[in-house]
Amino acid sequence: MTTQKARVVEISPLTRVEGHGKVTVHLDAHNQVSEARLHIVEFRGFERFIQGRMLWEVPVIVQRLCGICPVSHHLAAAKAMDMIVGVDQLTPTAEKMRRLMHYGQILQSNVLHFFHLCSPDLLFGFSAPADKRNIFEVIKAFPELAKQGVLMRKYGQEVIQATAGKKIHGNTAVPGGITKNLSIPERDALLKDIDQIIKWSEDAVLLTQNYTRDNLDVVKGFANFDSSHMSLVRADGAMDLYDGKLRAIDAEGDTIFDHMDYRQFDQYIMEEVKPWSYMKFPFIRSQGKEDGWYRVGPLARMNTSDFIDTPLANAHHQRFKHFFGNKPAQMSLAYHWARMIEVLHCAEKIKLLLLDSDLQGNELILKGERREEGISVIEAPRGSLFHHYKVNENDQVTYCNLIVSTTHNNTAMNRAVTDVAKTYLSGKNKITEAMLNHIEIAVRAYDPCLSCATHALGKMPLKIEVYDADNKLIDTASQFVKQETQ
Amino acid sequence: MSNIDPKLTTLIIGYGNPGRQDDGLGPSFIDTFSNFIALSEYEENKLNLQSNYQLTVEDALDICQYQQVIFVDASLEGESAFHVDEIKQTNDTGFGSHSLTPYALIQLCQTLYQHHPKAFIIGIRGYEFDQFEEKLSAAAEANLNQALAYLQKILRPLNSDECTPLEPHHA
């Protein structure tokens, strides 16, 4: 056997993943993968930036964190500020407007992720040439499906615009309530297309369900590992994306904790810092650092929830659970199926809310007894999102801690990357582009929002670097986005 | 929905994150431009302005209806205060919701509807991007003013011409 030095393969940044990240694959002298790590280039300055701001500004400012899930941050911050202004129960109009906004957000985000970022992998195969694995090829091969994706995403954005005032960075959720209701013309405009959206959503569920069934060997063999799962659930065990209590289950489906008031989350959840990543590694305190990691997001929500309170999504949820033997689904690629069931649920919820006259109510904002601390959890598209603030007597923020969904999934994503790297890269003399894409597919299944880096012109390389055991760069390849101009 | 509407002449889209210093050059351009010029001087639909945090896939549906689209974004590179380039031919398959480029968007128009408007990008040189701060750097603001003055002059004939396309330009 030829003696080789240990080396490191870097994939940086990941393509078709929100934000920027880097994967390093550590090979030993015999080209066996010893470890793979997902490095997060996350900007941690936001929590400092928010300090000193007025509490009523926070729900608007936090949206600067992200261009793809601003509504989730907007609502999580507003919920935390509700607690500070002493409002534990919003008016029906305010809560339902916020919920409508939230369902629009999850619908558009999940649709964007599946149709435009992941579908090329599923439709063309993991090893398809790089120039085939993109949305443009999907449009050519499956034009109706691709157009549905664009129109569904547009619909979700219209729901956001009607409820949040703007498609991106709305400002209607305020401490204690909401600043607008839904007008009849806004309602009617959204009702016009909702049945079509529900139909397309169910088609998307069937597409992902059939993919899972028809490619079960691939799905089973790809980043499939046991873990715990956590999400909010309603008091009766139903999936609830906007509010509820926290439930965590272990790999067998047994309860770790249930009906946990998220305002005491720090008694149950801790965060570990590792020197090679800016992103923390949360774990369930009672399970310890090694075993306490868990997954959040659509897959976790399917596993933790007893049922879904809309009929079509519930039927698919029961089918999903049955398919996995009524045990927690552990296959990373099952995230896609779970994600589309959530889209269907959101579409059904949107219709129910549009038909609810409470949305035309005029009681919008409440006030209560002022508190100095606010904590909220919301189920964002990617999973549980925690916001924690303290304010002083002048209404200025003195403390801010955010645990975003991607942080909850940090260990799971590292585990997924390592599993896939060991399966597809170990023992290979040449690392092909298709092999590297397998790693990206594993990360993409979690729909991570790695950071909200600036996007300005000139910043889009896909760079792969190979280092030897002495950390000397021995190979490099770049795949720049081609931008042809006159 | 997808055909060019002869009444819709020029759309200017400024995009970026105003909370990340000079990344907000695009939205600042739109804010200032809308004050700088009197939109009422222009005939209806001759000139429309949009500001957003990022470009999105559904923007393709709107863009496809215009004769001309001008994207305005911060630029990380270059010696000049701003540059204007025509998006003449695209082969951009890079696609993410944080990183959807005008190039990819124009290609999306073309792929979805087999046509796209004439498209230009104005890149205004920015320098500071790494902090959370809702303020442009002084140097970026100076560049912004140059770009504003340029475009104001260029777009004046819009009322008389059906569509006055930009030309590549470096200043």
Side-chain angles (χ1 to χ4, degrees), chain A residues 98 110 127 141 148 256 265 305 385:
Chain A
R98 287 193 191 178
N110 282 2
S127 299
Q148 284 173 19
I256 300 173
F265 81 90
S305 302
L385 170 63

Side-chain angles (χ1 to χ4, degrees), chain B residues 48-146:
Chain B
N48 286 324
L49 306 179
Q50 279 185 19
S51 176
N52 223 330
Y53 182 100
Q54 63 184 15
L55 300 174
T56 60
V57 290
E58 62 273 15
D59 286 336
L61 303 174
D62 293 332
I63 284 171
C64 273
Q65 301 176 75
Y66 281 85
Q67 296 179 46
Q68 172 174 258
V69 176
I70 301 167
F71 300 97
V72 185
D73 191 10
S75 178
L76 289 168
E77 297 166 342
E79 296 296 315
S80 52
F82 70 95
H83 62 86
V84 180
D85 287 312
E86 183 175 1
I87 302 174
K88 194 175 183 183
Q89 182 188 350
T90 66
N91 186 24
D92 183 351
T93 57
F95 199 94
S97 53
H98 279 75
S99 56
L100 181 61
T101 66
Y103 307 91
L105 197 53
I106 291 301
Q107 192 188 348
L108 195 58
C109 285
Q110 182 66 38
T111 312
L112 278 169
Y113 301 114
Q114 293 76 54
H115 69 83
H116 65 79
K118 283 187 78 71
F120 297 86
I121 183 154
I122 299 179
I124 305 174
R125 183 70 164 93
Y127 308 94
E128 296 177 12
F129 295 89
D130 293 333
Q131 301 297 318
F132 280 104
E133 186 181 17
E134 292 179 317
K135 189 180 178 203
L136 299 177
S137 67
E141 194 149 7
N143 295 343
L144 170 67
N145 289 332
Q146 285 193 47

Side-chain angles (χ1 to χ4, degrees), chain A residues 58 74-87 98 175 262 371 373-377 387-389:
Chain A
V58 173
H74 181 53
L75 292 176
K79 276 182 69 177
M81 294 305 156
D82 293 341
M83 186 175 160
I84 288 177
V85 300
V87 176
R98 287 193 191 178
Y262 55 70
R371 303 180 179 116
E373 186 173 19
I375 298 171
S376 72
V377 177
H387 277 217
H388 184 188
Y389 304 94

Side-chain angles (χ1 to χ4, degrees), chain A residues 8-11 22-26 35-39 417:
Chain A
V8 179
V9 179
E10 285 192 4
I11 310 171
K22 177 178 76 174
V23 170
T24 56
V25 182
H26 302 252
E35 189 184 15
R37 291 172 174 172
L38 175 64
H39 301 256
V417 163

